[in-house]
Amino acid sequence: MKNRWPGFLLIVVLLMVWEAASATKMVDPVSLPRISLIVKSWGESLFGGELLKQLLPSLGRIFAGFGIAVVIAIPLGLLMGTNRFIYRLLEPITEFVRPIPSSAYIPIAILFLGIGNEMKIFVIFLACIFPVLLNTYGGVRGVDPVLIDTGRTFGISRLRTLWQIVLPASLPSILTGMRISIGIALIVSVVAEMISGNSGIGYFILDMQRIFRVPEMFAGIFTLGILGYLINLLFLRIEKYFLRWRGAAHEG
């Protein structure tokens, strides 16, 4: 955190410029309110419970869709990386579906699942599964064959090799895919809530814009930025914990 002070200082300077530009009317203070006014509205929305009430449903959808994607994508990626038949079977449909933006599926998901949580969780799941799947596959294909051959020399079964050698060696790539996916989940959740929703931080931001409560709208946007930063920081800590053996190996 100490090494990041220049970045935080830059943010403070930019916010001060924003405050001054709005206060002196260099920009339209209605469309771009003063930071002090946004912070005041932010505090009122947060401590009044309005913002928190909208944030919790979004977090539930994000982690539900992300969790389902991880549970499905990691085993599939391991299978694709170790079994050529499974790879040939799934690779065409993966490469066909993967480039399509998840937001493009929202109208179809609404037809089949309605506008409730199920639709939003499904779209988030669809957005999250491919980064985890492809990073898992790439991690498995990048495992040093010598490690696998050594395991077989010691008579380790195929399943134990997958669990004790391939999975740990692939973990850096898997965790990278998960960190990418959680960021995408946040974006897709907001889009889905804006298009069809009556709750969530995306709905809150759009609703504030519709009724022209611009400071509250910016407060919601800033909340997304802080939330994304904290989630990324959490995943970096998780990654550091699970990959602590790499530091020990370098020290050795």
Side-chain angles (χ1 to χ4, degrees):
M1 189 66 73
K2 293 179 181 178
N3 297 330
R4 295 176 181 171
W5 70 264
F8 289 116
L9 181 61
L10 176 61
I11 292 173
V12 171
V13 170
L14 291 175
L15 292 177
M16 290 174 64
V17 170
W18 181 337
E19 173 78 13
S22 182
T24 57
K25 297 186 178 180
M26 291 177 62
V27 295
D28 182 9
V30 176
S31 301
L32 204 67
R34 296 169 61 171
I35 289 295
S36 54
L37 182 58
I38 293 172
V39 171
K40 179 184 176 183
S41 301
W42 197 354
E44 291 172 353
S45 299
L46 189 63
F47 293 111
E50 186 180 8
L51 191 55
L52 190 61
K53 181 182 176 183
Q54 301 297 341
L55 188 59
L56 291 177
S58 293
L59 287 173
R61 293 162 188 150
I62 288 167
F63 285 107
F66 171 76
I68 296 169
V70 167
V71 169
I72 294 174
I74 293 177
L76 275 181
L78 289 171
L79 286 173
M80 287 177 69
T82 55
N83 188 302
R84 298 304 296 174
F85 173 75
I86 298 294
Y87 172 77
R88 294 191 187 101
L89 181 68
L90 297 179
E91 191 269 344
I93 191 170
T94 299
E95 292 304 320
F96 175 77
V97 177
R98 181 178 63 86
I100 302 174
S102 298
S103 54
Y105 291 107
I106 292 177
I108 301 172
I110 290 173
L111 290 176
F112 286 93
L113 300 172
I115 61 172
N117 279 337
E118 294 83 1
M119 180 276 290
K120 298 175 182 67
I121 291 172
F122 171 76
V123 175
I124 293 168
F125 155 76
L126 208 57
C128 290
I129 191 169
F130 294 111
V132 181
L133 175 64
L134 295 177
N135 273 271
T136 302
Y137 168 77
V140 172
R141 299 301 298 172
V143 174
D144 189 347
V146 174
L147 294 175
I148 300 173
D149 293 339
T150 302
R152 289 173 180 169
T153 301
F154 283 98
I156 298 176
S157 67
R158 189 179 183 87
L159 187 60
R160 283 186 63 193
T161 299
L162 194 65
W163 178 253
Q164 296 181 351
I165 298 176
V166 176
L167 183 59
S170 307
L171 201 54
S173 293
I174 294 171
L175 289 172
T176 299
M178 290 173 65
R179 188 150 60 91
I180 293 169
S181 286
I182 196 69
I184 295 173
L186 183 61
I187 296 168
V188 173
S189 172
V190 170
V191 172
E193 289 165 356
M194 285 182 170
I195 291 176
S196 62
N198 54 11
S199 66
I201 189 69
Y203 168 78
F204 174 83
I205 292 169
L206 192 62
D207 192 45
M208 293 301 102
Q209 185 267 335
R210 283 170 177 164
I211 60 178
F212 221 68
R213 289 171 59 181
V214 181
E216 286 84 354
M217 179 193 75
F218 276 106
I221 294 171
F222 286 176
T223 301
L224 281 176
I226 292 173
L227 180 62
Y229 182 84
L230 291 177
I231 289 175
N232 183 64
L233 197 63
L234 174 63
F235 264 80
L236 287 174
R237 295 290 177 87
I238 292 171
E239 188 175 299
K240 186 177 179 181
Y241 173 79
F242 280 108
L243 300 180
R244 60 191 183 279
W245 53 269
R246 290 203 300 187
H250 288 311
E251 290 173 7

